[in-house]
Amino acid sequence: MEVVKDHPDLPAAHRFPLPNGNLNTLLPHIVRRFSPLSETASLDAQVLAAKLLGVPRSWLLAHPEARLTDRQQQALALAVQRVEAGEALPYVLGTWEFFGLEFTVTPEVLIPRPETELLVEQALLWLKDHPNRRRIADIGTGSGCIAVTLAVKIPELLVTAGDISAAALEVARKNAELHGVARRVRFVRSDLLAQFGPEEPPPAGRVFDLLCANLPYIPSRTLTALEVSRKEPYLALDGGQDGLVLVKRLFSQLKAQPGWMADGGRILLEVEAGQGAAARSLARRLFPRAEIQVLPDLAGRDRLLMIDLPDRE
Ligand SMILES: C[S@@+](CC[C@H](N)C(=O)[O-])C[C@H]1O[C@@H](n2cnc3c(N)ncnc32)[C@H](O)[C@@H]1O
């Protein structure tokens, strides 16, 4: 397991041991150490200990008397130190949960976020309502969390998943294999749709019924001040001057080749809170006859641009 390995970047001086004891003492100790770093210190401590012990989180809570072996104790101490040294917990764990499925994550990919589950939920609702629509694209696939989850949930789905990062595509491919859907997901290294060209058609033709994208959308100037820019790949976060640069480029590509989208198809784009109105008006210019909505996330913030194309644009 990733967390058991020693980590070369950790100075020995940072290696504060954990107290010897049972979970009842260890977990609160870790929570105290994580508290200055995370708003979810308690959950983080439980997720880390559960992964390391190879048990569900509920087991930890039901067995406060359990003691760790020396090796487990050492591995847990090292993992805690990596988090304290600034690594994101999912990268330390090497996996993260999205939509109830476990995904491999490395520092080359964005950590899948719960907000993105809204896009997946809406995609699933639409696919269930449209049983003959089974060709989809996922642009900026990263870990593959959207593409792979949809392929797992809809057994006949044919997915083309693109990313400009070769390293991210490797991780996405691994996740597709892990979840047994690699045969139905084609991975393309591409600048948005540019290299999806006619010479490389998706498995079932060149037209997508559904296009999903969670593109980088943090405005460049905001991003440099955010801690996330030091933990996760810049390429996955930087949305250019107004945060919508990639969305505008994707829209220009779709305009240049309207044949990418099937009549009556759907486009789902995750947006940043506050970008809803701007994204909607960009979409309106490109698809004047489409039905366009911006859906909020659970916190009530703009999160998802939904474009339902007319049967014939
Ligand atoms: C916000 S992350 C989303 C990752 C994943 N889909 C998710 O929801 O967790 C954006 C992804 O877009 C990719 N990306 C950035 N610029 C791109 C481009 N011009 N063309 C294709 N992908 C791009 C990044 O490498 C990154 O994997």
Side-chain angles (χ1 to χ4, degrees):
M1 189 195 305
E2 165 84 356
V3 283
V4 179
K5 279 190 241 145
D6 207 352
H7 197 268
D9 298 338
L10 280 174
H14 282 184
R15 297 183 178 180
F16 300 113
L18 295 176
N20 268 321
N22 53 26
L23 286 174
N24 209 17
T25 355
L26 266 176
L27 282 174
H29 172 90
I30 300 172
V31 174
R32 276 196 299 281
R33 285 172 66 172
F34 282 177
S35 289
L37 310 166
S38 167
E39 288 171 6
T40 54
S42 180
L43 179 65
D44 294 357
Q46 289 172 17
V47 169
L48 181 57
K51 168 88 187 217
L52 206 114
L53 269 68
V55 297
R57 226 157 35 86
S58 54
W59 188 94
L60 296 179
L61 305 178
H63 296 84
E65 77 295 345
R67 298 183 82 84
L68 273 60
T69 63
D70 286 352
R71 189 168 162 72
Q72 286 169 335
Q73 177 94 8
Q74 201 189 347
L76 189 57
L78 185 59
V80 169
Q81 285 155 21
R82 285 177 62 184
V83 174
E84 285 180 320
E87 274 187 80
L89 178 65
Y91 297 145
V92 173
L93 298 170
T95 58
W96 202 239
E97 196 183 294
F98 178 78
F99 219 88
L101 299 172
E102 193 167 82
F103 284 86
T104 293
V105 289
T106 70
E108 282 80 32
V109 300
L110 189 91
I111 298 159
R113 300 292 202 276
E115 298 91 277
T116 305
E117 294 185 351
L118 176 65
L119 186 155
V120 171
E121 275 163 22
Q122 290 300 324
L124 286 175
L125 286 174
W126 190 83
L127 288 165
K128 283 177 182 156
D129 279 352
H130 297 80
N132 299 322
R133 305 282 203 156
R134 289 295 178 259
R135 301 159 302 178
I136 79 156
D138 174 30
I139 314 294
T141 197
S143 63
C145 60
I146 297 172
V148 171
T149 303
L150 292 176
V152 167
K153 302 285 173 193
I154 307 279
E156 329 80 69
L157 205 64
L158 298 172
V159 186
T160 302
D163 204 290
I164 201 160
S165 155
L169 286 171
E170 275 313 302
V171 175
R173 202 170 273 126
K174 192 167 170 189
N175 281 319
E177 278 160 18
L178 215 70
H179 290 290
V181 296
R183 248 182 350 98
R184 289 184 290 115
V185 187
R186 186 178 70 108
F187 293 99
V188 185
R189 187 167 185 201
S190 178
D191 178 9
L192 303 174
L193 286 163
Q195 284 77 37
F196 277 39
E199 68 283 357
E200 256 197 288
R206 261 193 280 129
V207 183
F208 298 117
D209 298 308
L210 173 69
L211 184 146
C212 304
N214 176 17
L215 292 168
Y217 54 57
I218 305 181
S220 308
R221 244 186 324 160
T222 317
L223 181 57
T224 45
L226 298 180
E227 196 179 322
V228 69
S229 70
R230 288 177 287 283
K231 293 198 170 182
E232 295 183 61
Y234 216 81
L235 185 61
L237 300 164
D238 183 13
Q241 201 183 9
D242 60 355
L244 286 166
V245 168
L246 282 140
V247 171
K248 285 180 209 157
R249 286 189 46 230
L250 176 66
F251 282 178
S252 330
Q253 291 180 352
L254 286 169
K255 189 169 186 154
Q257 283 201 52
W260 279 122
M261 288 305 300
D263 291 338
R266 172 174 277 194
I267 298 173
L268 291 171
L269 294 184
E270 182 168 323
V271 294
E272 197 191 30
Q275 282 175 349
R280 183 203 290 262
S281 73
L282 285 173
R284 175 57 63 218
R285 258 181 270 155
L286 180 63
F287 302 109
R289 293 181 48 234
E291 198 177 302
I292 300 170
Q293 299 175 61
V294 177
L295 303 189
D297 59 22
L298 289 175
R301 294 170 302 208
D302 287 352
R303 187 56 63 195
L304 188 65
L305 177 70
M306 190 154 91
I307 307 170
D308 282 311
L309 301 174
D311 277 337
R312 201 159 275 275
E313 181 62 53

